Amino acid sequence: MDEHSGHAGAATGPRAEPGEPLVGRDAEWERLARAAVPPSADPVVMLVGGMGTGKSALLDRAARRAEASGVRVLRAEGSETEAKLAFSALHQLLRPLLAEAGADALPEGQRDALRDAFGAGPAAPPRAGAPDPMLLGVAVLSLLAHQGDRGPLLVVLDDVQWFDRASLAALSFAAGRLAGEPVTMLIAARDGAHPAGFDRHVPTLVLGPLDDAAANRLLDLQPTAVDGRTRARVLDQAGGNPLALTELARTAAAAARDTPAGPPPAGPLPLGERLERVFAARLDGLPADTARHLLLLAAMDSADSALAAPAGPWQHTEDDPWTPAERAGLVRRTGRQVRFRHPLAGSAVYQAASADARRAAHRTLAGLLRDAPDRRAWHLAAACPGPDAAVSAELERTADRARARGGHAAAADALQRAAELAPRRADSARLLVEAATAAVPTGDLARVEELTAAARARTDDPSLLAAATVQAGRLATLTARHTTVFSRLADSAEEWAAARPDVALDLLAGAAVVRFYSGEHAQLRRIHDLLRRLPEDAPSAASSAALRTWVRAVADPFGDRSAFLARLPQLTAEAETRPEQLVIVGIMAWLLDETPHAVRAFDAAVGSGQARGALPEGLGGAVAWAQVERGRWDEAREACARLAAVGRAAGLDHAVACAATVEATVLAHQGDATAARARADEALALVDPLESRSVAVYARRAHAAAAATDGAHAAAYGQLRRVFTADGDPVHYHASFPALAELAASAVRCGAHGEREEAAAIVERSAHTLAGHASPRLRALLDRARGLLAGPGDAEPHFRAALADPVLEHWPFERALTLLDLAEWLRRRRRVAEARAPLTEALETFRRLGARPWIERARTEARAAGLDVADTAPDALAELSPQQQQIVRLAARGLTNREIGEKLFLSPRTVGSHLYRSFPKLGITARAQLRDLVDDTAAPTAPPVDRGP
């Protein structure tokens, strides 16, 4: 029961014999059989098991079943060598579609993303910047979905533990969005090798050892019987592994012809080494020509075979070199196609050869691959007995091409190997630092740290060492190990403070971001202490001053808010033509509660058209939070989708958690409490709440908003109370304060005197903490909280104060809540006529935002105030889910399904399905009717005009 067979030149590849039995895998087969013919209840199913457990045989049977049912099957198989080549697995999978010009059906931007990833040719010049990883993911999704529209499609991915990281990122992105598509993805991976980017909630079938009965049945099905003591030894050594059972049985049967002792004892070797020895033993006695061909086959990967096999030496031999290898059980042939029976057979052939023979095989392949420079470079590297400047340079050029296509992991691999082959120690150190830089976007912190440590061991050049330190620090900032990472960044900053204050300041900037995520007060003292040690008269004093301001503002935005505000216009002007700096200025503005300024900066950065990176920005969630506060909820969810997708692709759970808290908040405000709770729980599950206080606070606030939506005010208060310590201090120095008004509202609605008193104490304690540094927004929230908690006759001045400043219109939802509170208070004081204006304004805002629970509450209050609030057309949107509302608003603006899909990272089919289900609820029959229907509600989707202070 082998996992692999295939065609000439590839070391691995699943092609089980058509009638090969699958013993002991009935339950797994039933599950795969249901999924193999789309549409399936499980659009993605993963098989996990050790080598030889039958993953490939099961996938192959599923593929045959699908093809027999008229389903198109696309396949890709991983190999260890191809893991170093960017997008090799993705190209292998999509090659049939690309050959049919399937990409022509995609929008231009998506076609360009695919072209850039695969390259238009070996010497094709790179386009400006690497392809946007999210646009590439959408392109893959759209291509698969388009093929699904033409007929059901099955995607089979085998040995994904050997897929290159760039391919995994694009495929995992598409896999997470296949629900509702006539496309199913079946994945097989080795034990302990969970594919990067794939959600751990993907349905997974674990292939364990066969039980004794199944193992004996499998032996009974072998061509040559194995009985008695020999059978007992095979069963004992195989440990229930199907591949081991079949191969050890084959070896035992062959040995039995010469000696009755059966197979020799294998001792305590791991199963892989034991089987590799079994395969290696079969090389004895093979003709020399067969051995040479086998070694070339073992040195290839699947793409090499397509390029090199037509010109390979086996095409020019009169004798058949493969028959002896086939008889020995090393390879399997189907027509002219030849493959190893299992990767271990190829590994055994390769390891059994001498080092000189292996190098000769790689030199031969390099000579056959002159039109494939990246593959040629790797074979040249494998043929090197020692340092070689020319081959090192070839690998450096390979890395450049990989980076231009967005293949960061492949670039890091090539640069690391180039460093190993560089004759000069200085060049080796430089290449290792470049490798670390290239590896940063992969999210693999351990790899980056390993490369930077190797660079430090090769050089004492301060510039290189500084660059290595900064690169490791940049990625460390994005992980969830806040306590450890902060200490490391701060210690490094202290080490560099005297020699390179610019480097120390860069490291402190990262430490400030970690301080924001962690909320740990002791870290603020360390940052201030380190800042005092850094000279302010450095050669780059202007940029140094800007970075100092950033560090201080991130670490303690309300500590000296007026000084930070004074610097903001100059920082904005300096960043005007630099999108990455505009984002930084926007984040700083958001931290200072200058949300309009933040949104303008973010809009300008996005409007530059610069390709987005493969990693989230430090504090990247600020973009989404600013959109939420500004009332641009649809755009906030778009930003969340990107942040989550980028975070998943890079394996950065903390970024995914940040996105989840923002989206949970919007969902709660829009009335989808169940979905909001699920997203908030996801965020809390992805982080340690004691390590990441910011995420914990945002998640608690989202839970409270969901509870308030359901009218569960005691539950809402319980969540919000956890946003403050037992003493009433904020759990997080920035994220906790905006919860004060909702804490007060939930306390009042609980109706319990104790909660009301406790909330009042917390509000006043926070007001004292903020003192004169509170922003206008926070002062308004404090006033609203005091109004809610005040006695019956004392609330109005507080509510009026909360509404007094015109700038507060930039926080429309918060203002509408205060208007509603004021109107309710006025009506209960029998000042009904005065209540109508704030009620009307609040209701209009809630309708524009799609805040369903608040629309209903405001309408109830409006009726009690004698207002005519009969249903109007825009209220029909309230019957839709938040995502359907988002899609409808974008469609009303004239965007096509494809354009909407690109914005929301959905397939056009999924967008169309949402619109199809929405039309009856809206009472319309045509897309053209959407514009009139949502004319009054489209404003939040289009950016509000922010003209500055």
Side-chain angles (χ1 to χ4, degrees):
M1 180 170 164
D2 302 309
E3 281 195 308
H4 296 82
S5 64
H7 59 269
T12 67
R15 286 293 185 274
E17 297 292 350
E20 184 177 340
L22 289 171
V23 176
R25 303 298 189 203
D26 294 344
E28 293 88 349
W29 167 241
E30 287 179 12
R31 182 76 175 275
L32 282 188
R34 290 195 300 271
V37 182
S40 166
D42 293 322
V44 183
V45 177
M46 188 178 300
L47 279 174
V48 174
M51 59 174 187
T53 51
K55 301 183 297 296
S56 297
L58 280 165
L59 289 185
D60 195 69
R61 177 172 285 194
R64 292 199 307 271
R65 173 186 171 88
E67 288 170 335
S69 302
V71 176
R72 181 166 191 179
V73 178
L74 297 177
R75 309 182 71 138
E77 308 146 17
S79 70
E80 287 186 87
T81 50
E82 287 200 339
K84 299 180 177 69
L85 297 168
F87 297 109
S88 56
L90 187 64
H91 190 263
Q92 183 190 156
L93 178 75
L94 300 181
R95 189 161 44 207
L97 302 185
L98 299 174
E100 300 165 8
D104 290 348
L106 299 179
E108 182 180 2
Q110 295 180 31
R111 285 201 310 273
D112 287 345
L114 280 174
R115 195 206 78 170
D116 291 348
F118 298 146
R127 294 163 60 84
D132 179 353
M134 295 303 101
L135 184 60
L136 178 62
V138 171
V140 173
L141 173 64
S142 297
L143 190 56
L144 296 179
H146 176 69
Q147 292 303 310
D149 287 340
R150 299 170 65 182
L153 177 67
L154 177 65
V155 176
V156 178
L157 309 177
D158 198 6
D159 280 329
V160 295
Q161 74 276 357
W162 288 328
F163 276 23
D164 62 281
R165 284 290 299 266
S167 293
L168 276 176
L171 289 168
S172 63
F173 178 95
R177 291 156 177 81
L178 290 178
E181 302 290 344
V183 181
T184 295
M185 188 178 287
L186 303 182
I187 307 168
R190 288 270 179 93
D191 273 336
H194 188 92
F198 281 89
D199 194 306
R200 287 173 174 80
H201 299 301
V202 168
T204 300
L205 307 177
V206 179
L207 300 185
L210 300 179
D211 60 26
D212 289 344
N216 275 291
R217 268 202 319 279
L218 183 58
L219 289 180
D220 290 340
L221 293 168
Q222 300 310 303
T224 306
V226 182
D227 295 309
R229 187 160 60 103
T230 299
R231 173 177 282 230
R233 296 180 70 185
V234 167
L235 288 168
D236 178 60
Q237 290 186 22
N241 182 281
L243 176 68
L245 286 163
T246 56
E247 297 304 328
L248 290 173
R250 180 192 290 266
T251 299
R257 289 194 295 267
D258 304 318
T259 171
L269 287 173
L271 182 61
E273 292 182 37
R274 194 180 313 161
L275 283 172
E276 195 167 301
R277 287 192 177 189
V278 167
F279 286 122
R282 296 176 191 170
L283 295 171
D284 295 340
L286 290 180
D289 190 41
T290 296
R292 284 194 298 273
H293 281 73
L294 284 172
L295 181 56
L296 278 174
L297 190 62
M300 285 186 176
D301 60 38
S302 59
D304 286 343
S305 67
L307 296 167
W314 41 76
Q315 302 296 330
H316 309 289
T317 180
E318 294 181 3
D319 298 327
D320 175 12
W322 300 115
T323 298
E326 190 175 19
R327 287 174 182 159
L330 292 169
V331 300
R332 177 180 288 145
R333 288 196 290 183
T334 306
R336 292 170 58 84
Q337 296 180 334
V338 182
R339 277 192 185 259
F340 285 107
R341 290 178 62 85
H342 190 272
L344 285 175
S347 177
V349 168
Y350 192 82
Q351 296 301 327
S354 68
D356 287 342
R358 291 198 295 264
R359 286 194 289 269
H362 285 292
R363 278 195 297 273
T364 299
L365 290 171
L368 297 171
L369 293 167
R370 294 190 181 279
D371 293 331
D374 296 336
R375 296 177 185 280
R376 180 175 181 273
W378 278 106
H379 283 296
L380 287 173
C384 282
D388 188 308
V391 177
S392 177
E394 285 282 346
L395 285 168
E396 195 170 356
R397 287 189 284 273
T398 287
D400 289 341
R401 288 189 289 270
R403 271 189 292 210
R405 301 199 306 273
H408 305 288
D413 288 335
L415 288 164
Q416 183 177 19
R417 183 67 177 125
E420 293 167 358
L421 293 175
R424 296 177 63 246
R425 195 173 176 86
D427 288 335
S428 178
R430 172 185 60 81
L431 289 166
L432 284 168
V433 172
E434 290 187 21
T437 303
V440 166
T442 68
D444 188 345
L445 180 58
R447 178 84 196 283
V448 173
E449 291 176 338
E450 171 196 334
L451 290 166
T452 54
R456 291 189 192 102
R458 282 170 171 77
T459 186
D460 55 5
D461 182 325
S463 295
L464 281 177
L465 291 176
T469 302
V470 169
Q471 290 307 322
R474 179 188 171 203
L475 179 55
T477 298
L478 299 173
T479 69
R481 297 156 43 188
H482 300 318
T483 301
T484 301
V485 167
F486 181 87
S487 295
R488 185 179 303 169
L489 290 170
D491 289 347
S492 295
E494 190 166 8
E495 290 172 12
W496 287 96
R500 289 289 302 273
D502 57 327
V503 172
L505 199 52
D506 274 340
L507 293 167
L508 265 187
V513 172
V514 177
R515 143 76 174 162
F516 178 89
Y517 286 140
S518 74
E520 174 58 54
H521 186 69
Q523 294 174 356
L524 176 62
R525 291 194 295 270
R526 184 97 192 266
I527 288 172
H528 284 164
D529 179 59
L530 287 168
L531 277 176
R532 282 192 292 270
R533 299 188 192 186
L534 298 180
E536 297 192 25
D537 55 351
S540 55
S543 59
S544 174
L547 197 52
R548 280 175 172 272
T549 302
W550 157 261
V551 170
R552 293 173 57 219
V554 172
D556 188 15
F558 302 121
D560 194 2
R561 184 173 179 275
S562 58
F564 302 146
L565 285 179
R567 291 276 291 141
L568 203 53
Q570 181 185 347
L571 295 175
T572 304
E574 292 169 354
E576 193 170 313
T577 59
R578 300 165 61 194
E580 72 285 355
Q581 287 300 115
L582 278 171
V583 172
I584 290 173
V585 169
I587 291 171
M588 180 174 159
W590 172 74
L591 287 165
L592 297 174
D593 271 341
E594 292 295 307
T595 300
H597 195 128
V599 170
R600 286 195 302 277
F602 296 144
D603 285 348
V606 172
S608 71
Q610 180 166 303
R612 309 201 192 192
L615 279 185
E617 294 285 342
L619 290 179
V623 177
W625 276 118
Q627 303 286 22
V628 171
E629 293 168 9
R630 191 67 186 87
R632 293 161 49 156
W633 291 356
D634 288 348
E635 290 177 69
R637 293 192 67 193
E638 290 172 30
C640 288
R642 170 173 287 277
L643 180 59
V646 171
R648 285 193 177 96
L652 296 170
D653 286 348
H654 191 266
V656 179
C658 290
T661 60
V662 185
E663 188 172 17
T665 302
V666 174
L667 287 166
H669 291 339
Q670 292 179 325
D672 194 342
T674 300
R677 278 190 284 269
R679 295 292 280 139
D681 284 338
E682 178 188 357
L684 290 170
L686 288 170
V687 301
D688 178 348
L690 296 179
E691 277 276 289
S692 188
R693 292 174 179 83
S694 60
V695 168
V697 166
Y698 288 133
R700 299 295 177 204
R701 285 171 52 186
H703 264 299
T709 292
D710 288 340
H713 301 298
Y717 182 82
Q719 292 287 348
L720 292 167
R721 183 61 187 86
R722 297 174 70 178
V723 169
F724 298 88
T725 68
D727 293 335
D729 290 322
V731 166
H732 188 272
Y733 64 91
H734 187 271
S736 291
F737 290 126
L740 286 166
E742 289 312 301
L743 176 78
S746 60
V748 169
R749 289 170 191 138
C750 282
H753 187 67
E755 280 82 351
R756 191 170 187 140
E757 283 192 342
E758 185 177 48
I762 292 172
V763 167
E764 295 310 318
R765 190 180 184 101
S766 293
H768 178 75
T769 299
L770 289 166
H773 299 296
S775 64
R777 178 203 179 196
L778 286 184
R779 287 198 297 270
L781 290 173
L782 284 166
D783 283 327
R784 180 188 169 216
R786 286 166 169 156
L788 287 162
L789 295 165
D794 302 325
E796 185 174 9
H798 298 297
F799 289 139
R800 297 290 185 190
L803 296 166
D805 193 335
V807 76
L808 299 174
E809 293 179 1
H810 291 297
W811 290 266
F813 184 64
E814 292 173 4
R815 176 178 169 81
L817 291 175
T818 307
L819 287 166
L820 181 57
D821 290 334
L822 172 62
E824 288 177 337
W825 182 87
L826 289 170
R827 190 183 66 79
R828 283 162 177 72
R829 305 293 291 175
R830 302 187 182 279
R831 294 160 62 180
V832 176
E834 293 176 68
R836 289 171 183 163
L839 263 177
T840 300
E841 185 180 346
L843 182 55
E844 287 175 354
T845 299
F846 293 142
R847 281 174 171 161
R848 189 171 67 249
L849 296 173
R852 282 189 288 176
W854 300 98
I855 292 171
E856 290 308 311
R857 183 174 152 194
R859 284 173 59 190
T860 299
E861 190 67 25
R863 287 195 194 97
L867 289 171
D868 182 5
V869 287
D871 287 349
T872 57
D875 276 336
L877 288 175
E879 300 303 316
L880 307 181
S881 72
Q883 186 168 61
Q884 287 171 339
Q885 291 183 42
Q886 193 175 12
I887 290 170
V888 163
R889 288 193 180 102
L890 291 171
R893 288 167 50 194
L895 275 68
T896 66
N897 287 3
R898 282 178 175 167
E899 290 168 335
I900 296 170
E902 280 193 14
K903 275 185 164 291
L904 306 183
F905 307 116
L906 302 170
S907 74
R909 181 189 185 92
T910 300
V911 172
S913 176
H914 278 300
L915 287 172
Y916 178 80
R917 293 197 300 272
S918 299
F919 279 19
K921 297 177 184 177
L922 296 173
I924 62 173
T925 57
R927 196 181 189 107
Q929 297 171 269
L930 286 174
R931 185 180 297 276
D932 292 337
L933 179 69
V934 301
D935 186 52
D936 292 335
T937 63
T941 306
V945 177
D946 287 312
R947 293 190 171 86

